[in-house]
Amino acid sequence: MSAGGSLPERPSNDATAVPYGRREARTCVVVASVSLGVAAAGLTGAALVDVAAAWWTLVVGGGLVALFGVLMLSAAVVELEDRFVFDATGWWWFSSAGDTLLTWDSLAGVCVHSTGDAAVVGGTATLELFPHGDLDRDHPLLWRYVRDAAPPVEGLPRLRYRIELTRMVNVTTDVEQACSRWAPPGLWHGNIWQPKGYKGRPDHGGHRRRMRERERAQALTPAGPEDDAPRDGTVPPEDAVPPGPPRQERSGR
């Protein structure tokens, strides 16, 4: 990811963090509280009715709503520390699924796509990261965000990583300000309008096919005494953008 030299193990002290996990956690807690309140009212009502059909309706409905509330609370806890971080090195992503880093010198361009004003209800915005050279379609963490679309600026590749910025909370403005501050001159292209429905979907089928092909290739490759390939049946993807994060541990961030 860096053209020479070693990568830092963590962002710099003056880095710009976008702690979207904490903001989403607040939303999850509110929704979960309302859900559990509704569930409690439903279960209480079930104890007061004598009609079997009404009793079952209230019990089943209350149980489902309570389960939804518990799941929301669980999501709030699991994703509490999720965040984007920007510094002179690049774009860091710390998430419950793992951590990764794309350095600025590994990218050909950066921009935000949005369907107009992403601050309004229903607005959509994404962070578009365009790697130099061949993009790793099967990056351990980022493969779900690979998209193939016409480049917004001449000279940029079609393939890019597209990261959601308006999932439960809107962090578009924060990300734009961080990119403006940290992206090198000429790399940041600002906010570019896109029609609704532009986001696309992950290539699940292609990912599964490529991983099977890599597993078969690994199985057919004779192991030598100096073979240092992974023993888990997969072959590291060869790509201009190194696929692994600078570290796999979440501790000590």
Side-chain angles (χ1 to χ4, degrees):
M1 286 176 285
S2 178
S6 59
L7 290 172
E9 295 185 354
R10 57 186 303 144
S12 61
N13 293 332
D14 61 345
T16 301
V18 182
Y20 68 89
R22 292 182 179 273
R23 302 179 191 179
E24 291 184 347
R26 291 194 289 267
T27 301
C28 288
V29 169
V30 172
V31 173
S33 299
V34 173
S35 299
L36 293 176
V38 171
L43 295 175
T44 300
L48 302 177
V49 299
D50 296 326
V51 181
W55 185 87
W56 278 108
T57 299
L58 290 172
V59 168
V60 173
L64 291 175
V65 174
L67 177 61
F68 175 75
V70 171
L71 292 176
M72 292 295 288
L73 285 177
S74 300
V77 172
V78 171
E79 301 179 1
L80 183 63
E81 296 301 322
D82 287 9
R83 62 196 184 277
F84 304 136
V85 180
F86 301 79
D87 67 2
T89 301
W91 172 77
W92 307 70
W93 191 4
F94 299 105
S95 74
S96 55
D99 308 333
T100 194
L101 162 66
L102 293 181
T103 60
W104 298 125
D105 57 16
S106 75
L107 298 175
V110 180
C111 70
V112 166
H113 280 176
S114 67
T115 57
D117 184 3
V120 302
V121 175
T124 297
T126 53
L127 175 64
E128 310 282 314
L129 301 161
F130 299 83
H132 280 299
D134 295 331
L135 179 147
D136 178 11
R137 287 178 175 268
D138 301 302
H139 186 288
L141 296 177
L142 298 178
W143 72 265
R144 294 178 179 83
Y145 307 97
V146 174
R147 298 292 186 273
D148 183 353
V153 177
E154 184 178 356
L156 291 181
R158 290 182 58 89
L159 291 175
R160 81 290 301 272
Y161 296 120
R162 175 170 288 167
I163 312 299
E164 175 68 63
L165 300 180
T166 51
R167 193 174 61 165
M168 292 185 66
V169 296
N170 179 12
V171 296
T172 307
T173 301
D174 304 81
V175 169
E176 288 178 345
Q177 292 175 349
C179 288
S180 298
R181 177 185 178 188
W182 291 109
L187 200 68
W188 169 240
H189 297 287
N191 191 324
I192 300 175
W193 179 87
Q194 294 292 312
K196 290 185 178 181
Y198 77 90
K199 288 197 303 181
R201 296 182 179 181
D203 181 18
H204 291 281
H207 175 69
R208 288 193 294 266
R209 182 183 67 254
R210 290 188 296 272
M211 296 308 293
R212 287 196 299 267
E213 291 173 353
R214 291 180 180 184
E215 290 174 358
R216 286 196 294 267
Q218 176 67 15
L220 295 174
T221 301
E226 298 181 357
D227 182 15
D228 59 355
R231 305 303 181 183
D232 59 358
T234 62
V235 176
E238 296 181 359
D239 198 280
V241 181
R247 55 190 173 82
Q248 299 294 338
E249 300 291 337
R250 288 179 58 87
S251 61
R253 292 192 241 146

